[in-house]
Every structure is written in structure tokens, then in C-alpha cells.
Amino acid sequence: MEASLSADGQVVGDIEDMTRDTAGLELQARGHFSSLKPLKPPHLQLTALTLSMDSFLKGIPSFEKMADVFSYESSDVDWCEDNYRHSENVVEYFNTMSSFVFFVVAPIMLYLLHPYAKERSLAVHLVWLMMIFVGLFSMYFHMTLSFMGQMLDELSILWVLAIGYSLWFPRRHYPSFVKDRTMFSRMVLVITVITTVSSFVKPTANAYALNCFALHILYSLYLELKSCTDRRVLRLARASIGLWVLAVSCWISDRFGCSFWQKLNFCYLHGIWHILIVVATAYGSTLIAYLDASQEIPYSLPDLQYWPRDNWALGLPYIVLKGNPKTQKRC
């Protein structure tokens, strides 16, 4: 009997111990799960995801905003010519039509400079191929006055300058850390890419920056021509500088003297700038190419001639390679 009671007491004790252990585990489990954040209902989770997507998409330009850069008169630049005066679809009619001069002069210069390009580098053709794109983008810009047209017009000019610098900048004026023309061309490429990206920061300043490049080109020409005695070369230099000064004067006058020209009912100076700057580019690039040829390929004995007749007062200059060792090189 006593043994039975003793056994019953032990069982009761074991049951009590198991109950205490179970209660302890339950308290531990409650403490662990209470530290976890409760799950949101499915509809609240979906709302949070939608808000996150909305905030992400706000950082991406909408289709409408991207399309605005192509829309008419989305550029901040507006030239002196009256808008839509001669056509409902063309904002600046004469500025647009004057850009056709690029398509006339560029192919002629490609043909005239081909013998020089074959001897020097076929990359020379890139200058006038890009000038065709300058004319195309200039037409598009003045036809629409769109922001995209403005940027294409200005950036194509920037890349023409970059190609010219890469091809023709004199080796003796390289920075000390530049070893050869290949390294210099790569440096120009990097600078041009950076400038292309940064041009979107302040688009209205791009045109002024591009014109400032001419000052450095003029300085480089001055250094190259100091010791030159060839009268034909000096004549070409004077004509190139004169045409550039006249072209820039038209550009500045149209930009800042518009009210004066409107009183005279003559608002076409920017169109005249197009014509003058193409001819000035033909003169200036031929002069620079001639000086380059005298240094880089002197054995070809470069000389200057004018198209269509060499004895005409006006014409397009180009380089002929005489290749006659008896001819005296004077520059």
C-alpha cells in the first residue's frame, strides 16, 4: 500500500514538472514571436509596393517630357527672323534655306581635297562629311526651333572642331605629356565626350563656347605663320580671318542687335552667317591643312590653288601635291 502511494506521488511530481517545463517553453515562444513585426495585410503590402514604384518612376522622364525636346519652339534660342512668316511648317524660313550652302560646298571640298587626303590621311574627309551633318542639323533646328535640333546643331559643330584638332594641331604645340598624335587624338576624344555631356547643363551657353574655340585657332595660326613668306599662303590667311570676322559680326549683330535690324526690316543676318561661315571654314581648313602638309608630308610638295579657276579673285582653295623635288618650299 505504501509502495503504491509512493509510486502515485512520483507520477504526480513528474506531471507537475512536465507542466512547468511546457509553460516555460510557451513563455519563451511568446517572447520570441512578440519581438517579430506583425505581417501587414496583403492589401497594405500591395499599396506600399505601388508607392515605391511610383517614386522610382518619377525619376524617369515621362514619354511626354521626352517628346517635348522634339516639339516646335522648345529651344530657348530664337533668332531675329520672324517666325512662320513664309511658311506654316517652317519657323525660320531663310535661316533654314541658307543651310543648303553646306550641301553645296561640302561635296566640292571632299572632291578637291581627296588627293591630299589619300597622301595624308583619309580621316581628313571626316571634316567635310561632318559639315554635311552640320548643315542637316542646322536646317532641322531652324525649321523647328526645337531643343533637340539646337543640341544636334551645336554638337555636330563641336565634333567638327574635335576632328580638326585631332588631325591638324601642330605636334610641336602638344602638351609635354603627349607623346604622339594618337595619344593626342585620344585626349581630344575624351575631352569632346565630356564636353558633349556637359553641354546639356547650360545649352544657351554652347554657341558662345564654340565661337571661343576660334580664338585658340587664330592664336595657333599666328604662331605658324610668323615665319611664312609665301604670299599666296598669307593671302589665304587674310581671307580666312576676314571671312570669319565678317561671319561672327553677322552672328553677334543678329543675336544682340535684333531690334535695330527689325526697324530696317532686314532680319536675315543669321542666314548670311551660314553662308559666310561655310566659306570661312573652307578657307581656314585648307590653310591649316596646307601648313600641316608642309610639316607632315613635305616630300609631296604641297601648293595652293583655287577652284574653279586659279586666277580668279574668288574661289574655293584646295591643296595640290606637286611632288617635284626641284620646287622650293617656302613655308
Side-chain angles (χ1 to χ4, degrees), residues 92-209:
E92 296 176 343
Y93 185 82
F94 281 102
N95 287 347
T96 302
M97 293 299 106
S98 63
S99 300
F100 270 108
V101 71
F102 289 87
F103 304 114
V104 176
V105 175
I108 296 174
M109 293 304 297
L110 283 169
Y111 170 74
L112 293 176
L113 292 176
H114 184 62
Y116 159 71
K118 283 197 303 182
E119 189 67 31
R120 176 66 172 85
S121 172
L122 289 177
V124 170
H125 288 321
L126 290 175
V127 173
W128 286 101
L129 286 172
M130 279 301 300
M131 286 294 287
I132 295 175
F133 282 97
V134 172
L136 179 65
F137 295 144
S138 176
M139 288 184 62
Y140 171 58
F141 171 47
H142 292 290
M143 184 177 68
T144 63
L145 285 187
S146 65
F147 176 78
M148 183 55 68
Q150 175 194 343
M151 298 306 297
L152 290 173
D153 182 23
E154 294 168 349
L155 291 177
S156 60
I157 297 172
L158 172 66
W159 282 91
V160 168
L161 292 171
I163 295 170
Y165 268 95
S166 299
L167 287 170
W168 294 321
F169 192 73
R171 294 175 184 268
R172 59 178 172 271
H173 299 314
Y174 285 176
S176 58
F177 60 88
V178 176
K179 298 179 180 179
D180 52 27
R181 189 167 293 277
T182 300
M183 184 177 179
F184 180 77
S185 299
R186 290 173 180 170
M187 182 183 72
V188 171
L189 175 62
V190 171
I191 294 173
T192 307
V193 170
I194 295 172
T195 306
T196 299
V197 175
S198 62
S199 64
F200 288 86
V201 176
K202 186 74 173 176
T204 53
N206 294 342
Y208 306 100

